[in-house]
Amino acid sequence: MAWSWLLPWLLASAVIAAAGARVARWHAVRHRLLDQPGARRSHKVPTPRGGGIGIAIAWGLAWLVAPWLLPVPGTLAAAVLAGLLLVAGVGFVDDHRALSAWWRLAAHVAAGGLVALALAANGAAPWQVVFVLAAVPVLVNVWNFMDGIDGLAASQAALVALTFALLSGAPSAWAVLALALAASCAGFLPMNFPRARIFLGDVGSGTLGYAIAVQASLLLWSDAGGQGLVPVLLLPLSAFLVDATLTLGWRIVRGEAWWMPHVQHSYQQLAFSLADHRPVTLLYGAWTAAALMLALVSATRVTSFRFAAAAMCLLLAAVAWRAARGGVGHPDEQDRH
């Protein structure tokens, strides 16, 4: 693919995502698909949901045309698209009517299985197959957990996708598809930040987690260094992984209904403390931008440096998670689920 084609492709991804968000907002308002404020929510006014369907369509179209424009195996593209239909599909249904968490998880696992089978058929190593099997359901749910304040989930996905594109090297197919994801997020963000006129919804957060998992798996598949790239990929994901994992673990230890909505993540506690979503989203963005630069540096160093950098970043994120929660007393802390 010539670079002269890249800008129109990225512009098209952004425009499709933006148009999809606008149409989704009209549909949500018309059908009263609104997220209502409450003790277990971080927003204060009823807000339409489901705007992430534009991102799903834009990134899906990029994969649809990829085998004709890029060196992408057709079987892999078909598997990625089928997985996207599963993840985005159950998210779309859940945005319209409550769907069992187990049905959603089954769809996430099946989507990971489809991509894993396609990678195995195209010569992926066993550990790479296992990686994508785990990464898809984990990151889909991480993005769902972390999609709770204006602009956070989409901006983090854009930064992570940009990191993966830069690590993939220009002008590789995986870099182009990662940039298409980043452009789709950029197209959606004006509808979600600095003031949310529509939320991603499960269709959007699920799509972002799935897309990030797929792009990470493809980057590992194409890397000659093998497992040595894994700690590098953890760096831009550190903010979300640490906040989601430690909060989930804390709720489980305390015997809470961890699968229920809540406002105990660090980003939610900070937003409550500051009475504003914007500085929290920007703070998380600054962290991930710094992690992006560290990832680029680490990718050029020996494996021991990579693991040390990842360990340091995750440790600092854990310290920040604890600090963000200390001294914040949101009512949800006294309202056990």
Side-chain angles (χ1 to χ4, degrees), residues 59-60 62-63 66 72-73 75-88 107-119 124 128-129 131-140 143 160-161 164-165 168 173-175 177-179 181 205-223 229 233 237:
W59 191 68
W63 271 94
V72 174
T75 53
L76 178 59
V80 170
L81 286 169
L84 177 62
L85 284 174
L86 279 172
V87 173
H108 304 160
V109 172
L114 288 172
V115 180
L117 285 173
L119 284 177
Q128 294 167 333
V129 174
F131 179 89
V132 72
L133 275 172
V136 168
V138 167
L139 290 180
V140 166
W143 247 262
V160 173
F164 291 175
S168 295
W174 313 136
L177 290 164
L179 287 173
L181 176 61
S205 61
T207 291
L208 291 179
Y210 173 73
I212 292 298
V214 168
Q215 295 290 166
S217 301
L218 295 176
L219 184 54
L220 289 176
W221 180 45
S222 64
D223 179 61
L229 192 61
L233 300 187
L237 292 168

Side-chain angles (χ1 to χ4, degrees), residues 35-45 47 145-150 199 261-272 275-277 330:
D35 279 346
Q36 300 293 336
R40 298 173 183 175
R41 304 281 184 178
S42 298
H43 60 285
K44 298 179 180 179
V45 297
T47 306
F145 295 156
M146 298 296 290
D147 178 29
I149 63 172
D150 300 350
F199 293 151
H262 62 91
V263 286
Q264 294 186 32
H265 287 288
S266 287
Y267 75 88
Q268 293 167 317
Q269 296 284 294
L270 281 172
F272 172 77
D276 194 345
H277 293 188
H330 191 281

